[in-house]
Amino acid sequence: MPPPDTVDKLAWLSGCWLVDGAEPGTGEQWSTAAGGTMLGASRTVKGGKTTEFEFVQIRITDPGQLAYIVQPSGKAPVVFNLLRQDKANEFIFANLDNDFPSRITYRHDSQRILHASITGSLKGKLTTIAFPMTRARCDAVTSERSR
Protein backbone atom coordinates (compact mmCIF):
# COMPACT_ATOMS: atom_id res chain seq x y z
CA MET A 1 0.00 0.00 0.00
CA PRO A 2 1.54 3.38 -0.99
CA PRO A 3 2.10 6.00 1.71
CA PRO A 4 -0.68 8.58 2.05
CA ASP A 5 -0.35 11.85 0.20
CA THR A 6 0.77 14.76 2.35
CA VAL A 7 1.25 18.46 1.73
CA ASP A 8 4.94 17.95 2.55
CA LYS A 9 5.33 16.63 -1.01
CA LEU A 10 4.72 20.20 -2.19
CA ALA A 11 7.16 21.88 0.22
CA TRP A 12 9.22 23.03 -2.81
CA LEU A 13 6.35 25.40 -3.69
CA SER A 14 6.81 27.56 -0.57
CA GLY A 15 8.05 31.08 -1.18
CA CYS A 16 7.32 33.72 -3.78
CA TRP A 17 6.94 33.29 -7.53
CA LEU A 18 6.58 36.02 -10.17
CA VAL A 19 4.83 35.33 -13.47
CA ASP A 20 7.34 35.74 -16.30
CA GLY A 21 6.55 38.69 -18.59
CA ALA A 22 3.69 39.98 -16.42
CA GLU A 23 3.42 43.32 -14.64
CA PRO A 24 5.35 43.65 -11.38
CA GLY A 25 3.45 42.12 -8.47
CA THR A 26 1.78 39.42 -10.56
CA GLY A 27 2.48 36.03 -9.04
CA GLU A 28 1.96 33.68 -6.13
CA GLN A 29 3.17 33.44 -2.56
CA TRP A 30 3.07 30.14 -0.63
CA SER A 31 3.59 29.42 3.06
CA THR A 32 5.67 26.54 4.32
CA ALA A 33 3.90 23.24 4.94
CA ALA A 34 2.73 23.14 8.57
CA GLY A 35 -0.18 21.54 10.37
CA GLY A 36 -1.07 19.56 7.24
CA THR A 37 -1.71 22.70 5.20
CA MET A 38 0.00 25.05 2.77
CA LEU A 39 -1.59 28.45 2.27
CA GLY A 40 -1.20 30.50 -0.88
CA ALA A 41 -2.29 33.73 -2.45
CA SER A 42 -2.05 34.95 -6.01
CA ARG A 43 -2.48 38.35 -7.59
CA THR A 44 -2.79 39.57 -11.18
CA VAL A 45 -1.76 43.17 -11.86
CA LYS A 46 -2.77 44.94 -15.09
CA GLY A 47 -2.39 48.63 -15.76
CA GLY A 48 -0.84 49.04 -12.33
CA LYS A 49 -3.96 47.72 -10.54
CA THR A 50 -4.88 44.36 -9.02
CA THR A 51 -7.47 42.87 -11.38
CA GLU A 52 -7.73 39.37 -9.89
CA PHE A 53 -6.70 37.61 -6.70
CA GLU A 54 -7.25 34.26 -5.05
CA PHE A 55 -6.61 32.50 -1.77
CA VAL A 56 -5.57 28.85 -1.88
CA GLN A 57 -5.17 25.94 0.54
CA ILE A 58 -3.43 22.68 -0.20
CA ARG A 59 -4.46 20.14 2.42
CA ILE A 60 -5.87 16.69 3.08
CA THR A 61 -9.67 16.80 2.99
CA ASP A 62 -11.92 14.66 5.22
CA PRO A 63 -11.99 11.72 2.81
CA GLY A 64 -8.18 11.64 3.02
CA GLN A 65 -7.65 13.22 -0.41
CA LEU A 66 -4.89 15.75 -1.10
CA ALA A 67 -6.73 18.79 -2.46
CA TYR A 68 -6.13 22.24 -3.90
CA ILE A 69 -8.90 24.50 -2.59
CA VAL A 70 -9.14 27.85 -4.34
CA GLN A 71 -11.25 30.90 -3.54
CA PRO A 72 -10.96 33.22 -6.58
CA SER A 73 -11.56 36.97 -6.11
CA GLY A 74 -13.81 36.47 -3.08
CA LYS A 75 -16.06 33.85 -4.70
CA ALA A 76 -17.03 30.53 -3.11
CA PRO A 77 -14.21 27.98 -2.65
CA VAL A 78 -13.77 25.28 -5.30
CA VAL A 79 -12.07 21.96 -4.45
CA PHE A 80 -9.70 20.27 -6.91
CA ASN A 81 -8.56 16.81 -5.77
CA LEU A 82 -5.16 15.41 -6.63
CA LEU A 83 -5.65 13.53 -9.89
CA ARG A 84 -2.07 12.51 -10.53
CA GLN A 85 1.44 13.06 -9.29
CA ASP A 86 4.27 12.49 -11.75
CA LYS A 87 7.43 11.82 -9.78
CA ALA A 88 8.02 14.52 -7.18
CA ASN A 89 7.95 17.48 -9.52
CA GLU A 90 4.45 17.60 -11.07
CA PHE A 91 1.04 17.66 -9.41
CA ILE A 92 -2.27 17.70 -11.31
CA PHE A 93 -5.45 18.60 -9.44
CA ALA A 94 -8.88 18.14 -11.05
CA ASN A 95 -12.53 19.02 -10.60
CA LEU A 96 -14.34 17.77 -13.69
CA ASP A 97 -17.59 19.41 -12.53
CA ASN A 98 -15.95 22.83 -12.96
CA ASP A 99 -15.90 24.03 -16.58
CA PHE A 100 -12.91 26.33 -16.33
CA PRO A 101 -10.58 25.40 -15.07
CA SER A 102 -11.17 21.70 -14.59
CA ARG A 103 -7.47 20.95 -14.07
CA ILE A 104 -4.69 22.81 -12.30
CA THR A 105 -1.10 21.72 -12.83
CA TYR A 106 2.06 22.68 -10.94
CA ARG A 107 5.47 21.49 -12.17
CA HIS A 108 8.90 22.64 -11.12
CA ASP A 109 11.96 22.12 -13.27
CA SER A 110 14.37 23.46 -10.65
CA GLN A 111 14.30 25.41 -7.40
CA ARG A 112 13.85 28.60 -9.44
CA ILE A 113 11.52 27.60 -12.31
CA LEU A 114 7.80 26.83 -11.88
CA HIS A 115 5.26 26.00 -14.57
CA ALA A 116 1.64 26.39 -13.52
CA SER A 117 -1.30 25.98 -15.87
CA ILE A 118 -5.07 25.78 -15.88
CA THR A 119 -7.02 23.70 -18.38
CA GLY A 120 -10.70 23.33 -19.12
CA SER A 121 -13.60 24.16 -21.38
CA LEU A 122 -13.72 27.86 -22.21
CA LYS A 123 -16.40 29.00 -24.65
CA GLY A 124 -16.81 25.40 -25.79
CA LYS A 125 -13.12 24.80 -26.54
CA LEU A 126 -10.48 22.92 -24.55
CA THR A 127 -8.14 25.70 -23.43
CA THR A 128 -4.90 25.74 -21.46
CA ILE A 129 -3.45 28.92 -19.98
CA ALA A 130 0.16 28.68 -18.86
CA PHE A 131 1.77 30.69 -16.08
CA PRO A 132 5.56 30.31 -16.27
CA MET A 133 7.07 31.63 -13.04
CA THR A 134 10.44 32.35 -11.52
CA ARG A 135 11.23 32.28 -7.81
CA ALA A 136 11.67 35.76 -6.32
CA ARG A 137 12.51 37.28 -2.98
CA CYS A 138 9.28 37.73 -1.06
CA ASP A 139 10.19 41.32 -0.27
CA ALA A 140 10.66 42.18 -3.95
CA VAL A 141 8.19 44.80 -5.12
CA THR A 142 9.41 44.97 -8.70
CA SER A 143 9.87 42.33 -11.36
CA GLU A 144 13.53 41.93 -10.39
CA ARG A 145 14.19 38.24 -9.82
CA SER A 146 16.18 37.03 -6.83
CA ARG A 147 19.66 35.87 -7.57
Side-chain angles (χ1 to χ4, degrees):
M1 196 161 161
D5 289 318
T6 68
V7 296
D8 295 334
K9 291 182 176 186
L10 285 137
W12 53 265
L13 188 57
S14 70
C16 293
W17 301 90
L18 295 177
V19 176
D20 299 341
E23 284 193 36
T26 299
E28 299 184 357
Q29 183 170 350
W30 287 92
S31 72
T32 57
T37 303
M38 287 184 73
L39 300 175
S42 72
R43 170 178 51 201
T44 301
V45 177
K46 292 183 180 172
K49 295 184 179 186
T50 297
T51 57
E52 296 178 36
F53 66 93
E54 57 189 27
F55 300 110
V56 185
Q57 301 174 59
I58 298 176
R59 66 178 171 87
I60 304 294
T61 57
D62 286 337
Q65 176 73 44
L66 186 62
Y68 183 100
I69 304 166
V70 61
Q71 187 172 3
S73 297
K75 296 178 183 168
V78 180
V79 177
F80 293 81
N81 289 316
L82 182 65
L83 175 68
R84 188 171 77 236
Q85 175 188 347
D86 292 333
K87 300 181 184 174
N89 70 329
E90 183 176 59
F91 292 78
I92 301 170
F93 298 91
N95 179 334
L96 301 181
D97 294 329
N98 201 52
D99 289 341
F100 194 83
S102 57
R103 289 185 187 212
I104 299 170
T105 302
Y106 279 87
R107 184 183 85 241
H108 72 107
D109 291 342
S110 70
Q111 291 297 324
R112 291 186 36 115
I113 305 297
L114 172 65
H115 299 279
S117 64
I118 54 176
T119 302
S121 178
L122 195 59
K123 297 180 182 175
K125 292 185 180 181
L126 183 63
T127 304
T128 297
I129 300 174
F131 301 95
M133 292 185 244
T134 303
R135 187 178 293 279
R137 291 188 336 264
C138 288
D139 62 354
V141 293
T142 67
S143 61
E144 180 184 7
R145 306 296 194 241
S146 62
R147 306 218 185 271

